[in-house]
Amino acid sequence: MAEKILLKGNIALAKGAIAAGCRYYFGYPITPQNDIPEFLSGELPKIGGTFIQAESEIASINMVMGASAAGARVMTSSSGPGISLMQEGMSYMAGSELPCLVVNVMRVGPGLGGIAPTQGDYFQATRGGGHGDYFNIVFAPASVQEMFDLTVKAFELADKYRNPAMILCDAILGQMKEPVVLEEREVSKPPAKPWSLTGASGRNPQFLKTLYLSDGEQEAHNLELKNKYDVLRKEEVLYEEKGLNDCEVVIVAFGTVSRIAKTAIQNIKKEGIRVGLIRPVTLFPFPTEIIRKTARNIPRILVVEMNTGQMFEDVKLSIENKIKIRFYGRPGGGIPTPEDIMREIKVLINEKSV
Amino acid sequence: MAEKILLKGNIALAKGAIAAGCRYYFGYPITPQNDIPEFLSGELPKIGGTFIQAESEIASINMVMGASAAGARVMTSSSGPGISLMQEGMSYMAGSELPCLVVNVMRVGPGLGGIAPTQGDYFQATRGGGHGDYFNIVFAPASVQEMFDLTVKAFELADKYRNPAMILCDAILGQMKEPVVLEEREVSKPPAKPWSLTGASGRNPQFLKTLYLSDGEQEAHNLELKNKYDVLRKEEVLYEEKGLNDCEVVIVAFGTVSRIAKTAIQNIKKEGIRVGLIRPVTLFPFPTEIIRKTARNIPRILVVEMNTGQMFEDVKLSIENKIKIRFYGRPGGGIPTPEDIMREIKVLINEKSV
Amino acid sequence: MGKIIIDRDRCKGCGFCIDACPKDLIIITNDLNIQGYLPAKIEDNDNCTGCALCAEVCPDVAIEVYK
Amino acid sequence: MGKIIIDRDRCKGCGFCIDACPKDLIIITNDLNIQGYLPAKIEDNDNCTGCALCAEVCPDVAIEVYK
Amino acid sequence: MYYDVIMAGFGGQGIMLMADMLALIAMKEGKNVTWMPAYGVEMRGGTANCTVIVSSEEIGSPVTGHPYSAIVMNEPSLMKYEPMVRQGGFLLINTSLIDQKKTERQDIEMLLLPANDIAHELGNTQMANMVALGAFIEKTKIVSLDATIQSLPEIFPNRPPQFIKNNTKAMETGAEFAAKKG
Amino acid sequence: MYYDVIMAGFGGQGIMLMADMLALIAMKEGKNVTWMPAYGVEMRGGTANCTVIVSSEEIGSPVTGHPYSAIVMNEPSLMKYEPMVRQGGFLLINTSLIDQKKTERQDIEMLLLPANDIAHELGNTQMANMVALGAFIEKTKIVSLDATIQSLPEIFPNRPPQFIKNNTKAMETGAEFAAKKG
Amino acid sequence: MKKVFERPKSLVDRLTHFCPGCTHGTAHRLVAEAIDYFNVQEDTIGVSGVGCAVFMYDYFAIDAIEAPHGRAPAVATGIKRVHPDKIVFTYQGDGDLASIGTSEIIHTANRGENITVIFINNTVYGMTGGQMAPTTLLGQQTTTSPYGRDPRNDGFPIRMAEMLATLEGVAYSTRASMHNAKEVLKAKKAVKKAFEMQKEGLGFTFVELLSACHTNWRVKAKEGQKRVEQELIPYFPLGVFREKKNEHMMNRG
Amino acid sequence: MKKVFERPKSLVDRLTHFCPGCTHGTAHRLVAEAIDYFNVQEDTIGVSGVGCAVFMYDYFAIDAIEAPHGRAPAVATGIKRVHPDKIVFTYQGDGDLASIGTSEIIHTANRGENITVIFINNTVYGMTGGQMAPTTLLGQQTTTSPYGRDPRNDGFPIRMAEMLATLEGVAYSTRASMHNAKEVLKAKKAVKKAFEMQKEGLGFTFVELLSACHTNWRVKAKEGQKRVEQELIPYFPLGVFREKKNEHMMNRG
Ligand SMILES: Cc1ncc(C[n+]2csc(CCOP(=O)(O)OP(=O)(O)O)c2C)c(N)n1
Ligand SMILES: Cc1ncc(C[n+]2csc(CCOP(=O)(O)OP(=O)(O)O)c2C)c(N)n1
Ligand code: SF4
Ligand code: SF4
Ligand code: SF4
Ligand code: SF4
Ligand code: SF4
Ligand code: SF4
Ligand SMILES: [Mg+2]
Ligand SMILES: [Mg+2]
């Protein structure tokens, strides 16, 4: 196993992109993710790649669209407002089934907002903030190591399913340093992309579009997309679970919050209260199954987020039986402390059962 | 009561805006809603209003932001791709609590898509397609009359709650003609807007922003917004119900689909099957209460949409007890026929009970 | 010495070729083609010089020219 | 005959005023102000002409000029 | 009472106007109506069609897969809509532009109307749509023919009396033709 | 084993570097570590702070409301972080820039270290951070002081030997001071 | 006799959806002829804007992609950076390029992206029903300027070829017309020139083609051609506004 | 003696967050002086772009709004159309105005919106940490052009004042600097001129102010001022590029 190095989350993510064979970056600066373009602007030229600081996020996502159509592994990164501006482009890419990686190191919203840690863009990421029936593949790292690993994974799944992938994380994960192992493994070269635009030499011309006019054509296309999303739901769910088989409460949390929850779980154990954890690693597809199963055995679920209750809906949609479920959230850059979470656990336990 | 006239949905909506005292329109052309700007470009100048064809949807929503900040009732209208481009601006307006009306006459998505009737933008409209924790007030008309009435209502609620409002409808409602009564009632003049920017004469200067930096300020702001949304959920839910107290199945559908459902309900009655209907008129706030209550008494709910299942989630989130719930949807411009719906009703009835 | 062939079913009857022809050799016919337009036709090919000006202005690339 | 007053706590010590003064009347002091900067001060006001060039270049509007 | 009709033809044939008039009169007669055109890209290629529904009840779906009736003014429209008309329904065919041999249905009533020829005799093929509308109303009685004719002046406010006269004549002639055919 | 510390001071005082070194050495010694700076706008106004957590277990929260210890290099930092240190915790105060009368807690251990003055005597106030780090490590033993000093060359690859020497001296002097104070 | 004029082979042999007399058809042919001339049919990638020419991919026998409205230059940039050896061009209307796509066209030109942009200026939004465009002439009535374009409310018609000519990254910027045979022949030369310069890697090349949208101008096809000559050209003069071997841009990485 | 120079009253009496020697502070003062000069403090509405000057509303004693990054001209358009009698201005940086906001600034100028735009050109993205801007000089190193701006990849520095001067709707377009007292006084005149023309309803007025961001240039404050003089001005010449009573634009609606 390769040796550990101490890296900032944003840099680990950028190194993950390079490890995944991504050689094209198009983006527009925005805090708190500027380490990514700044690092890549120095690295990509060295390895024959291309770094362009686009004139806007809209140009960025459309350059990404072009490079993806041309068959390349390509990425952009931004934060809240910039991601909102990319929604038209992301909808087009989903519609023409073009793979790419879009990174959202969240800032506080709505509006300009500050850069304190937050998770307010969950809906936008998982419900397709753009128009139409589509989904992004969304990953939620919770450590600097995962900033690297999941970036590689995101490129692989994006290509496998010809679908935009997204890394959704809060500013803490982008800014903090942790030991990381940059896996040596021979990263899967991008697969062949017979659909890509390379000039129609030795084959028939082909095109990429999202406008279908003949009867039923568009509906058929949408149903194909839906099938793809259903396969993703079956095949690609990732999550971490902890202490589920012996606890009275289960916490569901993602990203940085899941780590704060772990501290809370450790501390409250000393008081004799056993709490389990489910951490969604993919937000779409969402780990519905494990939550459904767990809810059958454990009578209480506490959902904690740095927003006013977004993933909370997916958790509720996952649960079929009647149990006690509670939400605790802090929006606008407020960070739940382990003490906050311990308090909420107790409140939940003391609720008279339903 | 004033006499009926035969009007196109888009025109009725535009007349509704004028009736509501809206004198400012900023927008960018896109089918299938061009009747709106085309009509207003002729009418507004006549009544001292301003019509500007903006250079883009982004410019449109930001001009709307300016006019709203200046205290005016103001609107824009567009469709799928254009609405996606407005997401940053809409997030800013929600964040700085600026009222406005945004009309989305949907087209097929993801991507450019055709202009066949569809409801694929439900998530975007109700989950705040932009970044951050916020919601739009969303109305779903189902007749040309409602294209007029709900437009007036939308302006009133937008001002009352200092929040962006949206009309979400499919192309059929925009293109069809029906008899309409243009209510004579004295439309509520826009309320006083002491917060608006008029030049700081005779008062302290004031500003509108979304960036809060001092400790806890932003979190407090977000919690205030949440309170506002909770009030909306309590006070402003609108829906239509039909035959709920005597039926074996209830259909939940909005917009044009709700009308097709009515035809299906009429036809299937002849076969002795009694079916009720709940039609959400506000999509946010969503009529959770009536659906929850109904589910306690009626064992089966069928949700029909022109998408792959978006409002379906809100219906499921509304229901607390275990009943049979089924979804039927046609995305990509496919229109469910009354026959389709009758078939689905029967399938649902014949499902062995849970 | 030249000649042209107008594809009557591709022609949309805009008449640009008529104005373009320095020798006024082209006219509009009056039976609809499959597209529902009244197509152009060459009246006498004998005087055609094959200058191809008609073809250059045809938006529908309905004219072939020989020389 | 003029004079200037430099608000030492608003001053950020950029030194622009020093270069701007045609009479070289301004210098940087060396005890930190509340902002943590080393502020400028006028050395002798007697030779100040009140030309206000120092004030014109002050990014922090820390200088008042009298004449 | 519930009745739906799809009217279809070339762009220039005044289909929307026919539909508009029918819907307008029905509304004036206190009925509920919907008028639903094919719009947008479908219009490219120059065919136009419009669905009109007239009902004494609230109207549900404004679109219809199996109308009681259809008016087809050109051949492409015949191809598309003849199969849709429901059993026992009614199909008005503009035989001036449609080869009646092309029709197939036995289970519906058909009116073979040489609308353009009649209009031509009346001095202007442009009025073929009025001829057809007259015949259609006579046949179906969804609205009153007289009422329709009465309202011509208000439908065409700034047109000369002669124009109104001609169109009146066109509708009447169409109606007579339909009446004769019984 | 779990230990967390918040280091804070002015922009120019090399706070991030101290934190970086501590985290790096702890990592080399096989510990889990997190290094979490205050970033972005908070940095405007010229104060810097960084939280370092060292643990033999997986580290949960990288942020901490009640650290075991804090190093405050200037007065604003004292104001902000003294109250946070948990009971029985440890606070290292740079008395060169902080008036010790301003301290309030009785329930924590304090080390009053004139870091800048010591560094000044050693010839360069810039090294105050190294003096403080040396003292902090000596006091807390989270990592080995020797190991830290050993790794100076690799932490400052392209700096002259003299520089390494000076910094070594600075850390050692800081450590000695802390040791004396017991 | 031998054929002296025939359909270029990179232009698909099918009917178009364009209105009778729409010079979008002519422009398509000119581009196809250039592709054939340089024999790059198998090395060319087209990017269509959204407008009446959105269906470009149905008419050209080359690889192509439909870009979001106005973003074709950004999409083309992405493609060209991945395939610097391919010929990449965009085909955009005035709404697409001069309105919603302003930012993309200006910065793509300024970066000197080595692509060719074919710009069809017909002074209206054709596809969506003839709304006002940035290029609409003063006083011109459209569906969104029913009283005629008024500079006090709507601003002035923008001359894109001239504006882009002020940018360093631009190798070639020209305006031609297609309203008669003589001008079509000049337009053909301009398009070829642009493709040739792209092949040489000289940077951004831009060809504005004046075109009639008689359908939305509400005139007969021939009327439209006259209007181009009598009303458009006086405001949008024909000619080359920039042609420059930009040393900076040559032999890139 | 009487006061001959003091803080303008429409400039709030508080410390700014700007770095020492940042001429954003100077620019703020010049705008405030113009507001005081025309005595329109109670009739002025400011629109801040997003950049180091986003906190404008904290420093000016006037009504103000924070626009999304790059959209200030559109927001200002909305305000001005509702309050044609108020003075409306935007204050934007080069990333805000010349990059993401390109489309808005060009079309607002072209519409001849009767507003004033104050444009701070410091050749970098100051607020976000010194990334490359459209105005960054060739060869200039920034955090996203670590090897220096290379025209073959990054394009060329854009001269906004010149580009906007080509648009009919523009009444006034000028470039000034703030690197010494002499230039500050000229800049002051330019800002006043712009506000004056807006008051007269002449249309769009634009003042570009060269400014140092020595923090991100990584030099001392005084160094920064020298750089402006020695490196910026040669590429961004000072002067008036357009000043025109545009009859078209007078006495509107
Ligand atoms: C984001 C977005 N906004 C608006 C539209 C609607 N739209 C399609 S084409 C078009 C303009 C077409 O005009 P032009 O670019 O001049 O092309 P033309 O049809 O005139 O050749 C518009 C506004 C869209 N498809 N996407
Ligand atoms: C949509 C969006 N993209 C990016 C950003 C991040 N951002 C904030 S300010 C800025 C640029 C600031 O540079 P400039 O406009 O030149 O102002 P300066 O700080 O240099 O005065 C950027 C990219 C944002 N806030 N919103
Ligand atoms: S080739 Fe020349 S001469 Fe012959 S028909 Fe065409 S234009 Fe006329
Ligand atoms: S130019 Fe072409 S399309 Fe037009 S009439 Fe002649 S042949 Fe027909
Ligand atoms: S007013 Fe003039 S003379 Fe006096 S200090 Fe300032 S610059 Fe010097
Ligand atoms: S110019 Fe102003 S801020 Fe700078 S040193 Fe002089 S007084 Fe201080
Ligand atoms: S609408 Fe105009 S641009 Fe479009 S095809 Fe017809 S004539 Fe050409
Ligand atoms: S970063 Fe640059 S622009 Fe921003 S305040 Fe500092 S010097 Fe001024
Ligand atoms: Mg056009
Ligand atoms: Mg800048």
Side-chain angles (χ1 to χ4, degrees), chain C residues 20 53 56-57, chain G residues 177-189 229 238:
Chain C
L53 293 175
E56 288 293 348
V57 297
Chain G
S177 180
M178 302 180 291
H179 67 279
N180 64 33
K182 186 159 130 291
E183 297 304 330
V184 168
L185 290 167
K186 286 193 203 153
K188 181 186 295 201
K189 280 204 193 60
E229 178 164 22
L238 307 183

Side-chain angles (χ1 to χ4, degrees), chain H residues 160-229:
Chain H
M160 289 308 294
E162 287 87 334
M163 187 192 291
L164 293 177
T166 66
L167 296 172
E168 290 300 324
V170 176
Y172 184 55
S173 179
T174 187
R175 182 183 293 116
S177 179
M178 303 180 290
H179 67 279
N180 65 33
K182 186 160 130 287
E183 296 304 329
V184 168
L185 290 167
K186 287 193 204 153
K188 180 186 296 202
K189 282 206 191 60
V191 173
K192 275 194 189 149
K193 176 86 187 170
F195 275 76
E196 185 174 21
M197 292 177 84
Q198 179 182 168
K199 271 179 70 91
E200 292 172 18
L202 298 180
F204 184 83
T205 47
F206 182 81
V207 180
E208 176 172 343
L209 297 173
L210 298 181
S211 187
C213 176
H214 62 85
T215 299
N216 286 301
W217 292 356
R218 311 246 188 286
V219 298
K220 296 218 159 42
K222 289 184 175 186
E223 267 310 301
Q225 301 298 77
K226 266 205 211 61
R227 242 206 203 186
V228 170
E229 178 163 24

Side-chain angles (χ1 to χ4, degrees), chain H residues 24 51-52 92-96 119-127 131 133-135 211 213:
Chain H
H24 264 305
C52 278
Q92 309 174 251
D94 40 28
D96 192 80
F119 171 48
I120 305 300
N121 177 358
N122 59 13
T123 77
V124 288
Y125 289 16
M127 183 187 221
Q131 295 82 6
T135 48
S211 187
C213 176

Side-chain angles (χ1 to χ4, degrees), chain C residues 12, chain E residues 44, chain G residues 17-25 51-53 120 122 124-130 211-217:
Chain C
K12 289 178 183 162
Chain E
R44 283 269 167 82
Chain G
H17 70 290
F18 297 123
C19 305
C22 176
T23 37
H24 263 305
C52 278
I120 305 299
N122 59 13
V124 289
Y125 289 15
M127 182 187 221
T128 47
S211 187
C213 176
H214 61 86
T215 299
N216 286 300
W217 292 355

Side-chain angles (χ1 to χ4, degrees), chain G residues 119 159-166 173-175 206 208 239 241:
Chain G
F119 171 48
R159 299 182 182 95
M160 289 308 294
E162 287 87 333
M163 188 192 289
L164 293 177
T166 66
S173 179
T174 187
R175 182 183 291 114
F206 182 82
E208 175 172 344
F241 301 100

Side-chain angles (χ1 to χ4, degrees), chain A residues 196-216:
Chain A
S196 67
L197 307 182
T198 56
S201 118
R203 59 159 169 79
N204 289 335
Q206 58 198 19
F207 48 78
L208 295 160
K209 65 169 188 174
T210 64
L211 175 56
Y212 301 86
L213 292 180
S214 46
D215 283 351

